[in-house]
Amino acid sequence: MSQDDSFLDSGAPAGARSETPSRAPRATPPARRGSGTLAVALLLSLVAIGGAGYVGWRQWQQERGNAAGNAALSGLKQRVDTLESAFGASDSERNLLRQRLGDADQVNRSLREELLSQAERTRNLEDAVAKLSEKTLSGHDAMLLDETESLLRMAKERYDLFHDAQGALAAYALADQTLAAVNDGAFSGLRQSIGAEREALSKTQTVNLDTALTTLSNLRASTLELPLKPLDSAASSASTGGWSRVMSALNDVVKVQRTNGAPLSVADARFARELASIDLAQAQAALLASDRDAYIAALKRADAGIVAQFDGNAASVQQARTQLATLIAQPPGAAVQLGAALSELRNLRAVHALKPAATSSAGAKP
């Protein structure tokens, strides 16, 4: 059976088939056999085409996958190359850092050695400065102690020779200030001794020396003008009695007078003024000599002489006695014995000077 026949059989119109009814029954069986083969062939062709298409699709997918894989592989290879180059760069940087760390370690080691040497040099410099400072301080203290000793000796000699308590107090004040600047604590207790002697000197200054001397000088000058007591001639002439008439008669017969021709009243007045002036001068001398008892005794003798020889009713005499009473009421203090602080300073300096020798000898024993 040919293809035309099958086409006619299968694809002929209904009118054509009806025109040949006589031949239709005979051609039916072969047509059925051909159609089945054709269907099988078509099916196989379709299967082959589908398989070929599938195979082609698979090959296309595989090629596409291979292309994508190649692209990915090339990308991965590029990334690996980049990582290798990065690792190489990091290795070089690591080596460079290691080299720099080595250099830094060497620099640090050299700096540490220099620092240790600088520390040693600084320690030696500190020791030298400490020794120099110790020498400077010792010289400074020695100079201050010499000045303190000189001031204490000056105060003692001034008080012993001239009884100048004010000058001695000033010298003691300067000595205390000088001793306060000494850095050695071994001499700090000496200031208490100086303070005790200053207090004793201040107690002796109950009277102002200059004021008292000025007052005594004024009193000596005023004794030349003090009025004497009035003579008792008027009282004797006014009295009555036998003895008064006898004495009057004897005075008319015998007259007593000085050989130099001066009246008796004038000589007595000069003698009384000289005695008062001498007593006041003795008071001045005793005050300068810090002789308290002689000073008070001279003032009392001067007051007694004024009372005995001069007119107590006169204002100048009363003023002189008031000044004498004031001076007697404010006598100078008793003399003090100075020199304890000076002796203590000398002893301390002697002991302090022996300390270095004792230390060196103790260090030489081992």
Side-chain angles (χ1 to χ4, degrees):
M1 182 178 178
S2 62
Q3 293 179 357
D4 295 335
D5 293 336
S6 62
F7 177 75
L8 290 174
D9 290 339
S10 60
R17 285 181 295 184
S18 65
E19 291 179 357
T20 60
S22 60
R23 289 185 292 179
R26 290 194 296 270
T28 302
R32 289 178 181 173
R33 287 194 296 273
S35 62
T37 304
L38 182 59
V40 172
L42 288 173
L43 181 61
L44 291 175
S45 63
L46 290 173
V47 171
I49 291 170
Y54 177 74
V55 172
W57 180 79
R58 290 291 297 175
Q59 289 180 354
W60 178 77
Q61 290 289 335
Q62 187 175 2
E63 290 177 359
R64 186 178 177 183
N66 289 334
N70 291 330
L73 183 60
S74 62
L76 183 60
K77 185 177 181 181
Q78 186 177 2
R79 292 177 63 186
V80 169
D81 293 338
T82 304
L83 288 175
E84 287 180 355
S85 61
F87 281 134
S90 64
D91 289 337
S92 62
E93 290 179 358
R94 190 180 300 110
N95 293 330
L96 181 61
L97 288 175
R98 188 178 294 110
Q99 184 179 0
R100 289 182 178 179
L101 286 175
D103 295 339
D105 191 12
Q106 293 179 359
V107 171
N108 290 333
R109 190 178 296 108
S110 63
L111 287 176
R112 183 179 180 184
E113 292 177 357
E114 291 181 0
L115 182 61
L116 292 176
S117 63
Q118 290 290 338
E120 186 176 0
R121 292 176 62 186
T122 303
R123 191 179 302 108
N124 295 332
L125 183 61
E126 288 178 354
D127 294 339
V129 171
K131 291 180 181 179
L132 181 61
S133 177
E134 184 178 359
K135 291 181 180 179
T136 304
L137 290 177
S138 61
H140 179 263
D141 289 347
M143 181 183 66
L144 292 177
L145 291 174
D146 289 338
E147 185 176 357
T148 303
E149 183 176 356
S150 177
L151 288 170
L152 291 177
R153 186 170 60 251
M154 184 188 304
K156 183 178 182 301
E157 296 299 331
R158 190 173 185 85
Y159 185 78
D160 292 341
L161 293 177
F162 305 105
H163 301 282
D164 187 4
Q166 292 181 353
L169 280 174
Y172 269 99
L174 291 176
D176 185 67
Q177 292 178 3
T178 305
L179 189 61
V182 176
N183 296 318
D184 195 348
F187 297 91
S188 59
L190 181 61
R191 298 186 63 188
Q192 297 180 358
S193 300
I194 294 177
E197 293 191 359
R198 288 180 64 186
E199 184 178 0
L201 280 174
S202 62
K203 289 181 179 179
T204 62
Q205 290 299 102
T206 55
V207 61
N208 191 345
L209 183 63
D210 294 336
T211 304
L213 290 176
T214 302
T215 303
L216 290 174
S217 298
N218 294 332
L219 285 174
R220 289 183 62 186
S222 65
T223 54
L224 301 176
E225 300 176 356
L226 293 179
L228 295 173
K229 283 186 175 182
L231 297 176
D232 296 334
S233 59
S236 60
S237 61
S239 61
T240 58
W243 285 107
S244 60
R245 289 194 296 271
V246 171
M247 292 300 297
S248 178
L250 288 176
N251 286 331
D252 293 335
V253 176
V254 181
K255 188 173 183 62
V256 180
Q257 64 180 7
R258 295 176 61 87
T259 58
N260 57 4
L264 183 60
S265 58
V266 175
D268 291 340
R270 186 180 299 172
F271 183 70
R273 296 181 194 279
E274 291 294 336
L275 285 178
S277 179
I278 290 173
D279 291 333
L280 293 175
Q282 289 180 352
Q284 285 180 330
L287 180 61
L288 291 174
S290 296
D291 191 350
R292 183 173 181 272
D293 296 335
Y295 173 73
I296 296 175
L299 290 177
K300 289 182 178 179
R301 286 197 304 271
D303 183 66
I306 290 174
V307 170
Q309 301 294 333
F310 298 95
D311 188 5
N313 296 323
S316 58
V317 175
Q318 293 178 358
Q319 183 179 1
R321 292 198 62 196
T322 302
Q323 292 178 353
L324 287 174
T326 303
L327 292 176
I328 293 172
Q330 296 178 354
V336 296
Q337 187 68 28
L338 301 179
L342 180 60
S343 300
E344 184 178 354
L345 175 60
R346 290 173 176 174
N347 293 333
L348 286 175
R349 295 194 69 180
V351 173
H352 194 70
L354 292 175
K355 283 184 179 180
T359 305
S360 61
S361 62
K365 285 182 180 180

